[in-house]
Amino acid sequence: MLIPGFARLLAQEQPPIQAALERAVARLPAPVREVAGYALLTGGKRLRPLLTLTAARLFGCERADLYDLAAAPEMIHVASLLHDDVLDAADTRRGRRAAHQVFGVIPCLLAGDALLAEASHRVARFGDPELVLCVSDAMLRTVAGEAHEIARQGSLSHGLDEYLSIIEGKTGWLLRASCRLGALFAGAGPRDVDALSSYGLNLGMAFQIVDDALDFADEAETGKPTGGDLREGKLTPPLLFHMNALPDAERSRFAEAFAHGRFSPAEVADISRRIRDRGFDRAARDMADASLDKAAACLEGLPDRPERDILRQALSFVRDRRA
């Protein structure tokens, strides 16, 4: 459940964030505008823009063009979703048909590329090399994390340490950049910039761990197909816990099916139910607490302003979310 202050801020900031995203879509080349708008302008929690706004305001920055800066991480995020859905052959995204199912693969890939280019361009227009470096680092780390995950698809040869390395890249670095952008934009000192960067990185890792636990929740609760990671051969903590609890013979059969993506819909449903019944999804959520504790520690020493409380509330939002 969202705590009232955080929920209020999310609702309050939706219209100006949406307006900034609409301005970004309007700048894109006409052939990709419809596809990008379909992906970018409907749905999403807008956590990344909210982090940029809050980080900047923590240091007293209230510039009107802050919203255009805050839109950049969301554009990068949505571009990665467009590409991911193509790679995963996903049918749905956020409760409706995936963009590539509507517009085709090539238009979606090009729309993702255009969003990345526009995100880079709008950050560069502020004329601060540190902002550009922040965004380019996040893009590079995100791609590296995604490539690492693809390289391990269908593999059971790695454990939790490598999983954490993967999600640090594919999710953590973009939330890191979301916080770092705001702090840099506001002119915060190096120590505060680094503290907010570490906060964002750890928040992002916790977000992904909880997301991977939610992958095995009932579809009626999340609006997302259950067991997607199982079908796609992505070894996440709930699956690792499940596999380690199996008898040897059953574990061998599981490994064979996992390596070749041979789970039937009935098997996916059964394994997901067993993961929930045995509490392996809750055990994964418990893993997220270590990252959330690190993030909380990063907030100590930052200015004692209402924005610091918002950043603290974001930890509860990530820990307790159900969709």
Side-chain angles (χ1 to χ4, degrees):
M1 177 182 294
L2 291 179
I3 58 179
F6 194 77
R8 214 168 28 245
L9 184 63
L10 276 174
Q12 172 186 314
E13 293 296 351
Q14 289 300 312
I17 289 172
Q18 186 75 1
L21 296 175
E22 289 172 356
R23 290 193 295 272
V25 170
R27 288 179 49 86
L28 296 176
V32 298
R33 206 173 290 151
E34 184 181 8
V35 186
Y38 180 90
L40 184 64
L41 300 180
T42 54
K45 300 174 181 65
R46 309 306 192 204
L47 177 61
R48 292 158 188 83
L50 190 67
L51 289 173
T52 302
L53 294 169
T54 305
R57 289 169 179 163
L58 180 64
F59 302 99
C61 179
E62 292 288 352
R63 286 174 50 175
D65 55 357
L66 177 57
Y67 286 98
D68 288 321
L69 180 71
E74 189 74 1
M75 295 163 68
I76 296 168
H77 171 58
V78 170
S80 74
L81 296 183
L82 281 168
H83 291 162
D84 285 352
D85 285 348
V86 169
L87 291 171
D88 296 338
D91 293 326
T92 60
R93 167 65 64 180
R94 293 171 176 167
R96 62 181 188 152
R97 292 176 69 195
H100 69 92
Q101 298 282 0
V102 178
F103 300 99
V105 168
I106 292 175
C108 283
L109 293 178
L110 292 174
D113 292 345
L115 283 171
L116 292 174
E118 174 58 23
S120 298
H121 185 257
R122 71 175 32 227
V123 171
R125 283 164 54 200
F126 287 101
D128 185 343
E130 285 293 327
L131 297 179
V132 176
L133 183 62
C134 174
V135 167
S136 60
D137 276 350
M139 288 183 184
L140 183 60
R141 296 284 189 141
T142 300
V143 170
E146 295 283 0
H148 191 174
E149 183 175 65
I150 290 169
R152 289 291 182 265
Q153 208 158 341
S155 170
L156 294 170
S157 63
H158 60 289
L160 291 176
D161 286 346
E162 193 165 358
Y163 163 80
L164 292 173
S165 177
I166 289 169
I167 67 168
E168 179 179 311
K170 74 174 250 184
T171 304
W173 267 76
L174 189 51
L175 268 74
R176 176 188 186 274
S178 301
C179 294
R180 189 175 183 87
L181 275 176
L184 289 169
F185 192 69
R191 182 176 296 178
D192 288 337
V193 170
D194 287 345
L196 274 168
S197 301
S198 296
Y199 164 87
L201 181 68
N202 284 289
L203 183 73
M205 293 184 69
F207 187 97
Q208 187 61 56
I209 294 168
V210 172
D211 203 61
D212 291 339
L214 282 169
D215 188 61
F216 297 97
D218 193 297
E219 184 174 350
E221 297 177 14
T222 65
K224 301 176 184 178
T226 302
D229 291 336
L230 178 60
R231 291 190 298 272
E232 294 160 15
K234 297 177 181 177
L235 186 61
T236 61
L239 283 171
L240 186 61
F241 299 153
H242 169 75
M243 183 187 69
N244 289 341
L246 294 173
D248 290 344
E250 194 174 346
R251 188 183 307 160
S252 296
R253 289 194 297 272
F254 176 88
E256 176 69 16
F258 187 82
H260 298 96
R262 293 176 180 164
F263 293 105
S264 68
E267 288 172 322
V268 171
D270 179 62
I271 291 171
S272 298
R273 179 188 54 77
R274 291 164 70 184
I275 283 173
R276 295 193 300 271
D277 289 349
R278 297 180 182 182
F280 297 140
D281 55 342
R282 292 192 300 276
R285 280 181 178 273
D286 291 343
M287 273 184 61
D289 285 342
S291 294
L292 291 169
D293 289 344
K294 290 178 184 177
C298 294
L299 297 177
E300 301 301 325
L302 291 175
D304 186 8
R305 293 170 54 99
E307 290 80 14
R308 188 174 70 168
D309 291 335
I310 293 296
L311 294 172
R312 189 170 285 113
Q313 290 170 24
L315 304 177
S316 298
F317 162 64
V318 167
R319 178 186 291 111
D320 299 332
R321 69 192 186 94
R322 290 293 181 266

